[in-house]
Structures are given as structure tokens and as C-alpha cells.
Amino acid sequence: MVQVTTLPRNETGIRTVIDVLKQQFGERLQTGRAVREQHGHTTTWIENQAPDAVVFPTSTQEVSDLVKVCATHDVPVIPYGTGTSLEGHVNAPAGGISIDLSQMNRVIEVNPGDLDCRVQPGVTREDLNTHLRDQGLFFPIDPGANASLGGMASTRASGTNAVRYGTMKDNVLSLEAVMADGRIIRTGTRARKSSAGYDLTRLLVGSEGTLGVITEITLRLQGIPEAMSAARCSFPSVDEACQAVTSVIQYGVPVARIELLDTTMVKAINGYSKLNLPETPLLLLEFHGTENSVTEQAEIFGALAGEVGGHGFEATTSTEERNRLWKARHDAYWAMLQYRPGAKGVATDACVPISRLAECVTAAQLKADELGLIAPIVGHAGDGNFHVTPLVDMDNPQEVENADIFASWLSELAISVGGTCTGEHGIGQGKQAYLEKELGEATVIMSAIKAALDPANIMNPGKIFPARP
Amino acid sequence: MVQVTTLPRNETGIRTVIDVLKQQFGERLQTGRAVREQHGHTTTWIENQAPDAVVFPTSTQEVSDLVKVCATHDVPVIPYGTGTSLEGHVNAPAGGISIDLSQMNRVIEVNPGDLDCRVQPGVTREDLNTHLRDQGLFFPIDPGANASLGGMASTRASGTNAVRYGTMKDNVLSLEAVMADGRIIRTGTRARKSSAGYDLTRLLVGSEGTLGVITEITLRLQGIPEAMSAARCSFPSVDEACQAVTSVIQYGVPVARIELLDTTMVKAINGYSKLNLPETPLLLLEFHGTENSVTEQAEIFGALAGEVGGHGFEATTSTEERNRLWKARHDAYWAMLQYRPGAKGVATDACVPISRLAECVTAAQLKADELGLIAPIVGHAGDGNFHVTPLVDMDNPQEVENADIFASWLSELAISVGGTCTGEHGIGQGKQAYLEKELGEATVIMSAIKAALDPANIMNPGKIFPARP
């Protein structure tokens, strides 16, 4: 594990808060070691920092009550969805109370006429889509993991569909949240647009639990398209694959998904998902629209890809074939871990202007090779976002060091070409070193907002901003 | 004119600041009455509150310098674009310095490969589109007026294309701004998405100059579609027209524009633009896509409209015909003023869930009739946003009172059905009475952010938040 900073603990406050909350929550407050560790970070090479207790509230009022208790005694509050975030967001570097929102998992209402719905934060994206299917609706944001919608809002998640449907920032209409003093606010209405005051919705989306606990989300929905088709196309190199991406975006084809996999990733997926994809760089695509429109989109893409060396282009409207390809894509993380058993994945999340994508992905491949790292690449190429994931033997200090060198190098490369160190994962603990490099003086303004809304720093302390031990 | 609150003036500070700035800006600081009044509010029935001086900076550094001088002497700073905002945003209720950004009107760079550009805040949307045309690109946000992009960002503007392309919040990638202490910040990068820290871009978009002065904007662009077609369709009543809108949105047709005009508005436009549109409620539409796709979209719309009583459906791909229709739509405000010469327009901006649009527009017509008001309606119906504009004889106190009753009633109606009092104009001075009704405790959080980032309240004081005289 890679160590993260530990912050001073308020032992007296923590003990008091646990005693007080035990009265209200009974068995819904847990202090066993296993449950606490499961509520710390578990997904990547960042070490686990378990909270002191885990509480399972069932209503906004209960969340407000427990935040008030924590505020009174100056004890950290760490919201928890499904624990699938990648940058240590659910760790408790100063201890404190993990708020597990999994019991707040109700779809409150669906308004098909307005293409929106209200959900509690513990509803997962797959649960929501199952709930919506009969009404001909779907929620497009798809970060791979079956994450909770509260967690997805908190990290400003996106994923494979973002090139067409945007990210969580574009699909959250309004939020209800409990702020640091226990106050319950509602940030907007069900209107599709608004100019009423500061955009607190977008301020909370991506705030990683450092400003408030999201307790309800109003989401925009989409009608399930009349037709969907999937396609795949192989390329001699990632450079040519990226060129195809750039031309399809510039041409204005409204692709719903356009995903890049490098040769190593294709090999990993072939092994894990029992596929026979050609082991060269690959683009996976999906088109949404009317029957005519998806056919036309696929044809245009095929022609553009052919111009830059694409081969083996295949499109299908078979639901079964489509699901098989996308299931394999979604299992990429597990496929990688199986590709090098026992290794830990190092999450990277560079996002660059798409005109710079080809050179950045190629440079990343060379750099990983140079450092002797096995590092499959998968990317939401239409957004310029790509994940290089060094698979690291944590017992080999040289390899750990090289992975660290690589991750820093990649974040700085992204920043140097006008991009960001994190397209969709968030800063958490793992990317703090780059936030100021990326945004400079703007981080002073972020800190001022944090200090104004959470003066005692009890809301998920040690995340986003460099920890002060 | 309708009076707005006057705030206490810091006379000594204002005199000192003008003396100091005169040294730096020379003739680019103006104190003549005509230029000062022209920089107060002039568009609607809100009274004019002129600033004490108008400064014309030419660079971000100059804006920073002058904000620092104002901060030192506790003097208000009011950013000014083209003065086309509708809610008194550019008024100076406590006096102070208007920053006219019209000389910062350079398109800094266009990146066709990334579909983005960087512009200074004084560039207007028409200037930008003229600049982009040769490169096959356009910027879709279109609030009617030829507003400056800085002003459009500040009020979170949208307009006719928002149903497809979103609002300013969706199309600003990043901002440069001068904050209340003169600090220059950059809120993001050129990456198409990011999860790096708080979304200061979206916090500044729509903040109406109360947090900072926008000095540069990075915008997303669109490729000019291969084909565009326009269509119009008449309906027996606004209710049926709204039903057609609701079904086209629910069906998922990616309409680029879908605008509602009531009978009075059609009459006004016929008069002003020398057209012969049937004088019944009308929808104007535009479709963007490939040749096949725009034909298909128009066909689907025609069928859906026919089911709810639409008649006289006509679609055209003739550029001349299309421009003539949309020019008429854009001139709606002037057409209204000519429809009742000498009257002032009262801006309303209700935006409701589209399932409630038909009933709200119908109720608004009845209410205006009941109050004896001439009040044409035009709406960005695909977003549920509609403008009822009472045309008021300001010499008739009863009529002025009735218009005021109507505007309040409409804002409250919108809020009561889960919508907002302002879909795209902003709060400014005119909508302050409704912000707390709409968002409750969330306004306390907004005030806390304002106090943290502008403790002396020098950034456009008296806007968004109720003035404390």
C-alpha cells in the first residue's frame, strides 16, 4: 500500500459522538474492525484508513441529526456510497464517522413527461436503470463500477457515455444536501434550466463530501433510443486510433460511446471475457438514434476510420452482441487485475484536449515501457480522457517507485498540454499534489469557500486540499 | 420607471478612486452624465441608477489594477458588457465604477481540432460567429440580443438553441476572472471534462458580477451542421402547441430550436417584420443534422403535431426563408414595443417542468386578460421557459400596479409547480423577492459564499441578494 498522510485525531470528541449516536442509531451504528476497514479505501494502492464507526441512516433528517452531533463535538464526517472511488475519498485520515448511505436507496419519483427523477443517494446506477426500463427511460452516466448516484455526484463522475450525454455536472438538475452545521438545503428546482442565484448544484457536484452530504438527487433522464448499434474497429497503432476519434468528433457524428483500448488491454479482456478480438489497438463504439440515423452514423465512422488505417470494422444492432462487447469493456478493471494476478492497479485519469490525445497516449506508452511497467490503457477517447493503469507488484519497491514516477509524470504531462490530472475520478487523497499545479490561485478561492461553509473542517477532511498534519 | 432600492454611498472613497483611476486611464475614464446613464439599466421598466464613472480597460491586468484601487477604498465595481440584461444587473445602487469591457473584444484563439476557443469578455455572440464561420464552426448560445459573451456567462444566458445545445453553464469550459481583491484566477483547463476540485467555472457563470469580473472565457464550439431546416406549425390554442412540444421532447427528437409564440406575439411580428403568418399560436422550429436526419426529424415532428391539432405545417431548407423566420423571432422584443408604441416591457422569465408548460401558459394568458394587460408571449418551449411581457403605459398607475401584480403572480406560479422565477435572465434587482421563496435555506449558503469571497461587498452590490439600504 502507498501511505497517505494521517491527521490529528480528536479522541475525546470521537468517543463522545459514538456514545451519543449509539443512543439514536442502535445496531445501525457499527464499530467492528471488518466493517470499518471495508468503509475505508479498498480499490487501489492507496492505504486503508478506517473510520471509527459506520452509521447507516435511513432519512435526510437522520443525516442532519448525526452531522449536528459531529459538528457539536468537532468530529469528521465521511459520506460513503459503494466504496468504488479510486482516490481514497472514503478514507478517514483523522478518524471519524462514516455515513453509509446504502439504506437510503429509494427511487422517490419518476416523471416520464419531464424526463427526470428524484432518487436517494444510495441508489446505484444499475438499480436506477432497472427501475426505469419499463418506462422506456434510462440514465446515461456510466462510470464502469455500479456506483451509487450520491457518490457519482460527489466525484463528478462520467464514463463511457459522456461524449454524448455529458457528465454528472450536466445530468444533475438539483440536489438536497446536509451542510456542515446540519442545515438541509435544496439547490434547485425541476426546471430544466435556471439563472436563479449561484449554482450550488454544480458547486456540490464534485465537492467529494467536503462541503456537505448529498441526501437526494434530481436527475435528468433520456428516452431509450429507438435504435442502438455497436461497432468495433482495429488500428495499427494508438496514434491512428486517436486520429479516427479526433476526426469523428470534429465531423460532428453524435457517437454515444467511443472507447480506446491499447493492445495490452485487448489481451487482458480477451483473457478475462473469453473473446477473440484482434490483439491490436481497438476502438469500441456505440451509436444511438433512429434506425436510419444509427446506420448513417456507423457508415460515416467506418469511412473516417478507413482513411486513417482502421481495419476489421464491424457494426451490429444485435442486442446480445452489443451487450457482450460492453460487458467486456466494463470488466476492464477486473480483466487487468487478472492479467497480472496479485498486482495492485494505480489509477491515472489524464484528460487532454482531443487534438493532443494521440501524442499523449503514445508518449504514455513509451514512458511506461521505459520504466518497465505493465500498464494497460483504456480511454473515453471522445472526451480526451484516458486511463493508464500500471499493475504493480507491491513487494517490489523499485516497481512501486517507478509507478509513482509514472503517475506524476502523466498528471504533469496532461497539465502541460492544457488538460487536467483528473477527468472523472476526482482529487481525493491521491491527486492533491497536482491541483495547485493545474489551477494555481483558483485553489485559494476553493479553500476560502471550504473555510466559509465548513469552518471546523469536519466534512471529509484531508480530501481535495493538501492535508495539514 | 419602477424604483429600486438605493444603497448608502461612500462619497469620499468614490472621489478618491476616480482621482486615482484618472491618472492611469486618462480619457478611458468617463464621468459625463450621458455615458454614465447609458451604463445604468436602460432596457426594461426598472429605473436607471447610473455609476459615478465608466472605465474602459483593455487588459486583464488593467481590470485587476482597477479592482485593487476600488478594494482599497471600498468602492463598488459593476462589470458592463452591452447593457442588454433585463433585471437591472448594470445599475449602480450605491454608485461606483462601471467597468465597460467593450474594448476587450479580441478572439484570442480558435482551436478547430478541439472545438473550442478563447475570447475576451467584450466579444459579442454575433462577432464570434462571424469570426468562426470560415472555419465551419459556430457558437450556439443565442439569447436574442447581440450580448457580450462575458455578460452571457455572468447571467447564465441561454435562448433559442438551449433545448439542444444547453446554456452558458454547459458551454463555458473555463474562465479567467479578477476577484474582489484583484487576484486573477483561471478556473479550469481546455479539457472537455474535469473532476479537479470545486467547479469555480459554474460558480462564476450566473454570479452576475457579484463574485468577480470575468476577463476571459474558454468556450465549447460546434461544427456547423451539414444540413439545417426550419419549420413552422400553427395551433388552435397555446395548450395544443405546448402538447406538441411535450411530445416532441418526450419522443427524443433532437430539435435545435422549438419556440412558442402566442397570437398577440404573432400579430406583433407580422406587423414589425412584414410577414403573413396565420394569427394563431405558432411553433417555430429548427432541425440540425445530416440531410437525411433533418428530413426525418421534420417528418416526425409533423406527425406528432398533427396528432394534437397542428395545421399549416411547413418545413424548408432554404437558407433565405430560414433566416427570415428567425430574424423575425429575434426581433420579437422590438416588435412588441412597436405593437404598443411608448409602452415599457416588463420582463418575466418563468421556467417550469415541461409537463406543466401548457397549463402555466394558459393560466398566464387568463391572468393577463383578467388584469387588462396586453402581454405577448414567446417561449423557449422545449425548456419549459416562457416570457410573458406586459406592455405597460407607465403614465397609468393602475396599469403599472397590475403589471407588478402579474409579474409576482407568474414568478410564484412557476415556483409552485416546481420551476424557477428565472430560466435565463438572472435575479439582478428585479427578481430578488423570489429567490428565497424558490430556494429557501440555500440562499444562506449563497450569502456565506458571497461574504467569504467579497467581504466588503464591492462586487456589483445590491444584485442577487436583497439590498440592505
Side-chain angles (χ1 to χ4, degrees):
Chain A
M1 292 293 110
V2 167
Q3 293 214 337
V4 282
T5 311
T6 301
L7 301 177
R9 291 169 53 82
N10 168 7
E11 295 294 351
T12 318
I14 290 170
R15 275 198 307 275
T16 309
V17 160
I18 291 177
D19 285 347
V20 173
L21 292 178
K22 194 79 195 162
Q23 304 297 316
Q24 180 172 0
F25 289 92
E27 290 302 305
R28 290 189 290 124
L29 180 146
Q30 302 265 315
T31 52
R33 182 170 164 173
V35 74
R36 291 191 297 107
E37 287 187 352
Q38 183 236 320
H39 284 76
H41 182 78
T42 56
T43 46
T44 65
W45 73 343
I46 294 173
E47 71 171 327
N48 183 285
Q49 294 175 309
D52 293 286
V54 182
V55 182
F56 298 80
T58 57
S59 70
T60 299
Q61 192 55 55
E62 282 192 348
V63 174
S64 171
D65 293 346
L66 82 81
V67 169
K68 278 181 186 157
V69 173
C70 289
T72 305
H73 300 281
D74 222 357
V75 165
V77 165
I78 306 110
Y80 182 96
T82 59
T84 48
S85 63
L86 297 168
E87 296 291 0
H89 295 95
V90 296
N91 263 343
I97 309 299
S98 173
I99 307 187
D100 183 315
L101 295 149
S102 61
Q103 295 188 18
M104 291 177 65
N105 62 349
R106 204 157 50 83
V107 177
I108 301 166
E109 65 177 28
V110 178
N111 304 294
D114 296 309
L115 299 173
D116 69 31
C117 69
R118 281 167 57 216
V119 302
Q120 289 187 311
V123 174
T124 68
R125 64 172 188 87
E126 288 180 8
D127 286 349
L128 177 60
N129 279 321
T130 303
H131 187 99
L132 295 172
R133 197 168 299 143
D134 289 348
Q135 301 182 65
L137 299 170
F138 79 112
F139 179 69
I141 312 302
D142 161 20
N146 184 22
S148 69
L149 291 156
M152 287 167 62
S154 294
T155 53
R156 207 181 293 128
S158 48
T160 61
N161 276 315
V163 62
R164 170 138 180 186
Y165 298 102
T167 75
M168 287 301 281
K169 97 175 154 48
D170 307 299
N171 289 281
V172 174
L173 278 173
S174 164
L175 293 168
E176 180 193 76
V178 172
M179 306 304 281
D181 58 0
R183 184 192 307 268
I184 299 166
I185 67 165
R186 197 170 275 280
T187 61
T189 71
R190 282 182 52 233
R192 286 166 72 93
K193 65 182 194 183
S194 167
S195 286
Y198 300 157
D199 190 345
L200 298 185
T201 307
R202 252 52 60 179
L203 183 64
L204 285 172
V205 169
S207 66
E208 305 186 7
T210 64
L211 298 177
V213 182
I214 294 170
T215 50
E216 190 187 299
I217 313 164
T218 304
L219 293 167
R220 285 183 72 153
L221 302 175
Q222 302 287 331
I224 294 176
E226 177 190 319
M228 293 192 236
S229 77
R232 63 182 171 86
C233 189
S234 297
F235 292 85
S237 70
V238 293
D239 183 57
E240 281 135 328
C242 291
Q243 285 178 39
V245 172
T246 312
S247 38
V248 80
I249 297 297
Q250 287 169 10
Y251 196 89
V253 181
V255 281
R257 288 168 157 165
I258 183 162
E259 295 282 303
L260 169 72
L261 291 77
D262 78 342
T263 304
T264 312
M265 184 59 86
V266 174
K267 285 180 185 165
I269 278 184
N270 273 345
Y272 186 84
S273 299
K274 314 275 177 283
L275 295 174
N276 285 306
L277 297 165
E279 295 186 344
T280 67
L282 181 78
L283 289 181
L284 289 182
L285 296 99
E286 194 166 270
F287 306 105
H288 295 176
T290 61
E291 296 285 353
N292 291 336
S293 156
V294 300
T295 305
E296 187 173 58
Q297 291 177 54
E299 281 169 6
I300 296 170
F301 172 76
L304 293 171
E307 283 172 18
V308 291
H311 56 88
F313 173 69
E314 282 180 28
T316 174
T317 53
S318 145
T319 306
E320 193 187 343
E321 179 70 7
R322 196 162 50 78
N323 287 346
R324 207 160 62 96
L325 271 183
W326 287 106
K327 173 84 167 63
R329 165 63 189 88
H330 278 134
D331 288 339
Y333 191 73
W334 313 117
M336 282 191 284
L337 296 182
Q338 182 185 285
Y339 189 71
R340 192 173 188 202
K344 285 276 173 188
V346 178
T348 72
D349 188 27
C351 186
V352 301
I354 55 169
S355 65
R356 309 301 293 269
L357 181 64
E359 75 186 80
C360 288
V361 174
T362 304
Q365 284 189 315
L366 289 172
K367 185 74 176 181
D369 284 351
E370 184 188 310
L371 290 165
L373 295 168
I374 300 173
I377 299 178
V378 63
H380 312 307
D383 298 314
N385 186 203
F386 63 103
H387 306 298
V388 191
T389 309
L391 300 170
V392 177
D393 172 1
M394 299 301 287
D395 295 329
N396 181 338
Q398 182 63 52
E399 205 172 307
V400 171
E401 193 189 325
N402 285 353
D404 202 30
I405 291 170
F406 177 81
S408 296
W409 171 87
L410 183 58
S411 289
E412 289 176 13
L413 174 72
I415 294 167
S416 75
V417 301
T420 174
C421 67
T422 176
E424 58 182 13
H425 294 170
I427 297 291
Q429 297 178 304
K431 292 281 188 289
Q432 289 177 6
Y434 314 108
L435 186 62
E436 197 181 332
K437 285 181 187 170
E438 184 171 321
L439 295 174
E441 292 276 288
T443 57
V444 177
I445 303 299
M446 293 183 195
S447 297
I449 293 169
K450 167 71 172 172
L453 301 189
D454 179 24
N457 193 23
I458 64 163
M459 307 306 281
N460 210 4
K463 314 300 162 63
I464 299 184
F465 304 103
R468 282 168 293 269
Chain B
M1 291 295 110
V2 167
Q3 293 215 335
V4 282
T5 310
T6 301
L7 301 177
R9 292 169 51 83
N10 168 9
E11 295 295 353
T12 319
I14 291 170
R15 276 199 306 276
T16 308
V17 159
I18 292 177
D19 286 347
V20 173
L21 293 178
K22 194 78 195 162
Q23 303 299 316
Q24 180 173 1
F25 290 91
E27 290 303 304
R28 290 188 290 127
L29 181 146
Q30 303 264 316
T31 52
R33 182 168 164 175
V35 73
R36 289 192 297 107
E37 286 186 352
Q38 183 235 320
H39 283 76
H41 182 78
T42 56
T43 46
T44 65
W45 73 343
I46 294 172
E47 72 172 327
N48 184 283
Q49 294 174 308
D52 293 285
V54 183
V55 182
F56 298 81
T58 57
S59 70
T60 300
Q61 191 55 53
E62 282 192 350
V63 175
S64 171
D65 293 347
L66 81 82
V67 170
K68 278 181 187 159
V69 172
C70 290
T72 304
H73 300 282
D74 222 356
V75 166
V77 165
I78 305 111
Y80 182 96
T82 58
T84 48
S85 64
L86 297 168
E87 295 291 359
H89 295 95
V90 297
N91 263 343
I97 308 300
S98 172
I99 307 187
D100 182 316
L101 294 150
S102 61
Q103 295 188 18
M104 290 177 65
N105 63 348
R106 203 157 51 83
V107 176
I108 301 167
E109 66 177 27
V110 178
N111 304 294
D114 295 309
L115 299 173
D116 69 31
C117 69
R118 282 166 57 214
V119 302
Q120 289 188 311
V123 174
T124 69
R125 64 174 186 85
E126 289 180 6
D127 286 348
L128 177 60
N129 279 321
T130 303
H131 187 97
L132 294 173
R133 197 169 298 144
D134 289 348
Q135 301 181 66
L137 299 170
F138 79 112
F139 179 69
I141 312 301
D142 162 20
N146 184 23
S148 68
L149 291 157
M152 288 168 62
S154 294
T155 53
R156 207 180 295 129
S158 47
T160 60
N161 277 314
V163 61
R164 170 140 178 183
Y165 297 102
T167 75
M168 286 303 280
K169 98 174 152 48
D170 306 299
N171 289 279
V172 174
L173 279 173
S174 163
L175 294 168
E176 180 193 76
V178 172
M179 306 304 282
D181 58 359
R183 184 192 308 267
I184 301 165
I185 67 164
R186 194 168 276 280
T187 61
T189 70
R190 283 181 51 233
R192 287 166 74 94
K193 64 181 194 183
S194 167
S195 286
Y198 300 158
D199 191 345
L200 298 184
T201 307
R202 254 49 62 180
L203 182 64
L204 285 172
V205 168
S207 66
E208 305 186 6
T210 64
L211 298 177
V213 182
I214 294 170
T215 50
E216 190 188 299
I217 313 164
T218 303
L219 294 166
R220 284 183 72 152
L221 302 174
Q222 303 286 331
I224 294 175
E226 176 190 320
M228 293 192 236
S229 77
R232 63 181 173 88
C233 189
S234 296
F235 292 85
S237 70
V238 293
D239 183 56
E240 281 136 327
C242 291
Q243 286 176 39
V245 172
T246 312
S247 37
V248 80
I249 297 296
Q250 287 169 11
Y251 195 89
V253 181
V255 281
R257 290 168 155 163
I258 182 162
E259 295 282 304
L260 169 73
L261 291 77
D262 78 342
T263 304
T264 312
M265 184 59 84
V266 173
K267 285 180 185 165
I269 278 185
N270 274 345
Y272 185 84
S273 300
K274 314 273 176 285
L275 295 174
N276 286 306
L277 297 166
E279 294 186 345
T280 67
L282 181 77
L283 289 181
L284 290 182
L285 297 98
E286 194 166 271
F287 306 104
H288 294 177
T290 61
E291 296 286 353
N292 291 335
S293 157
V294 300
T295 306
E296 187 173 58
Q297 291 177 55
E299 282 169 7
I300 295 171
F301 171 76
L304 293 171
E307 285 173 16
V308 292
H311 56 87
F313 173 69
E314 282 182 26
T316 173
T317 53
S318 144
T319 305
E320 194 186 343
E321 181 68 9
R322 195 162 52 78
N323 287 346
R324 207 161 62 98
L325 272 182
W326 287 107
K327 174 82 168 63
R329 165 61 189 89
H330 278 134
D331 288 339
Y333 191 73
W334 313 115
M336 283 191 283
L337 296 182
Q338 181 184 286
Y339 189 71
R340 192 172 188 204
K344 286 274 174 189
V346 177
T348 73
D349 188 26
C351 185
V352 301
I354 56 170
S355 65
R356 311 300 293 269
L357 181 64
E359 77 187 79
C360 288
V361 174
T362 304
Q365 284 190 315
L366 289 172
K367 186 76 178 179
D369 283 352
E370 182 188 312
L371 290 165
L373 295 168
I374 301 173
I377 299 177
V378 63
H380 312 307
D383 298 314
N385 186 202
F386 63 103
H387 306 298
V388 191
T389 309
L391 300 170
V392 178
D393 172 0
M394 300 301 288
D395 295 329
N396 180 336
Q398 184 61 53
E399 205 171 306
V400 171
E401 192 188 327
N402 284 354
D404 202 29
I405 290 170
F406 177 81
S408 295
W409 170 88
L410 183 58
S411 289
E412 287 174 13
L413 174 71
I415 294 167
S416 75
V417 301
T420 174
C421 66
T422 176
E424 58 182 14
H425 294 169
I427 297 292
Q429 297 178 304
K431 293 280 187 290
Q432 289 177 7
Y434 315 107
L435 185 62
E436 198 181 334
K437 286 182 186 168
E438 183 171 318
L439 295 175
E441 291 275 289
T443 58
V444 177
I445 303 299
M446 293 182 195
S447 297
I449 294 170
K450 168 73 172 172
L453 301 189
D454 178 24
N457 193 23
I458 64 165
M459 305 307 282
N460 210 4
K463 314 301 162 60
I464 299 183
F465 305 103
R468 283 169 292 270

